Amino acid sequence: MSTLNGTSQNHRANGESAPVTPQTICHKPFFLDRGDLYVLISPVYFRIHSYFLSRSTENAFFKSFISAGERLDLNALPGTGGPEKAIIVRNATVEEFSRFLWVFYNENFDDYSRAKLANWFIILRLAHEWGFQNVKTFKHEIPNMVDRIVAYEKYAPPAEMLLPLYMELVGRDEFSTDAECALLGDSKAFKIHRARETLIRAQKKAGTRPEAAQIKALVAKTLGLTDTPTVNGAAAPNGANAQEDGGPSTSRDKRPAI
């Protein structure tokens, strides 16, 4: 890591100024000479390309750094224009944000197999919160369906990630094996069996397989999986992250933060 000389000042929420250390750390390898976007995860600065983060659904990433009702200026995105205008990220550590950026700067294009499962869930969490729908479709494959579910649930992913897996498990032709039931646990295995039986009865009554939306609703209800939007996701209102502690910011620091 190198250093970035600067004389700008941060401001605390109470309005008192807190001087920034003249020697601010620059992240390597993500402090790029041609980068136009500055991100601060104190005390480390990132300098990256706004192009990649503009890929979030309807620019949800950048919209989360502006106030409610404010229009996003695509010619002056938050964080561009110099380190003094850096956006401040508070929902990720330096290491976590680096993991997330790796998706865009991966030298082995379209090959994400090198990511460890724990790191992959860091990436997926941030993709979910910042509205990167395309990133969430990338897969970290574990061949056996139940092994994948059990591994995924260790990291408490959003329900929308687990629902397709449970839908596939409930809808497959074969029953869960004794070994799979042991991995799932008695309670979860029973709920899956109940969802499966309900699906079979509905199919017999209608004479055709229920639509995907009906299966999703059935599985979600039976397994208690509810998908609620996060304030950082694409469904969140503009400016939802420009506040801290549930109220409007009183800071004079103009760098947006989440």
Side-chain angles (χ1 to χ4, degrees):
M1 290 188 179
S2 58
T3 58
L4 174 71
N5 293 325
T7 57
S8 61
Q9 288 189 327
N10 248 335
H11 295 277
R12 298 172 183 168
N14 60 11
E16 296 177 3
S17 61
V20 172
T21 305
Q23 298 281 318
T24 304
I25 300 171
C26 297
H27 189 277
K28 292 294 182 182
F30 293 121
F31 195 87
L32 308 173
D33 290 340
R34 296 187 179 182
D36 63 328
L37 175 65
Y38 292 84
V39 176
L40 174 62
I41 305 178
S42 186
V44 178
Y45 272 94
F46 292 78
R47 184 179 178 184
I48 51 182
H49 299 93
S50 62
Y51 166 77
F52 292 118
L53 298 182
S54 296
R55 294 180 177 181
S56 60
T57 304
E58 297 181 355
N59 267 313
F61 175 79
F62 287 110
K63 286 181 179 179
S64 69
F65 293 99
I66 60 178
S67 301
E70 183 179 350
R71 186 174 182 179
L72 182 67
D73 185 351
L74 297 179
N75 295 315
L77 292 171
T80 59
E84 70 281 358
K85 295 184 179 180
I87 51 179
I88 304 172
V89 168
R90 296 196 179 98
N91 68 329
T93 65
V94 169
E95 182 178 356
E96 289 172 342
F97 191 60
S98 300
R99 302 291 186 193
F100 182 73
L101 292 177
W102 171 80
V103 171
F104 305 108
Y105 291 96
N106 179 17
E107 294 179 354
N108 298 318
F109 180 73
D110 209 28
D111 178 8
Y112 305 97
S113 60
R114 290 189 297 114
K116 295 179 180 179
L117 190 61
N119 294 334
W120 193 243
F121 274 96
I122 291 171
I123 293 168
L124 291 177
R125 175 180 68 82
L126 294 175
H128 180 70
E129 293 180 1
W130 287 331
F132 287 88
Q133 298 297 328
N134 289 340
V135 173
K136 289 161 62 177
T137 63
F138 298 160
K139 294 182 179 179
H140 192 293
E141 292 291 358
I142 299 175
N144 180 272
M145 176 64 60
V146 173
D147 286 341
R148 193 185 314 171
I149 289 173
V150 172
Y152 278 24
E153 287 196 325
K154 289 180 181 179
Y155 300 95
E160 67 174 40
M161 287 182 55
L162 291 173
L163 268 172
L165 301 180
Y166 278 114
M167 287 171 63
E168 185 174 343
L169 182 60
V170 168
R172 72 183 186 180
D173 292 335
E174 64 272 17
F175 287 96
S176 298
T177 65
D178 290 344
E180 288 176 334
C181 289
L183 284 172
L184 291 165
D186 292 341
S187 177
K188 188 67 63 65
F190 173 75
K191 289 179 180 179
I192 291 171
H193 177 73
R194 187 170 62 185
R196 182 184 178 88
E197 290 299 310
T198 303
L199 177 61
I200 292 173
R201 286 198 300 271
Q203 184 170 336
K204 287 182 177 179
K205 182 178 180 180
T208 183
R209 184 176 178 82
E211 296 181 357
Q214 294 174 297
I215 299 175
K216 182 177 181 180
L218 166 66
V219 173
K221 180 179 180 181
T222 306
L223 293 170
L225 294 173
T226 56
D227 191 31
T228 55
T230 66
V231 296
N232 293 310
N238 289 0
N241 303 308
Q243 299 179 359
E244 288 187 275
D245 301 325
S249 173
T250 57
S251 171
R252 292 178 294 174
D253 189 342
K254 298 302 182 182
R255 290 177 294 188
I258 59 176

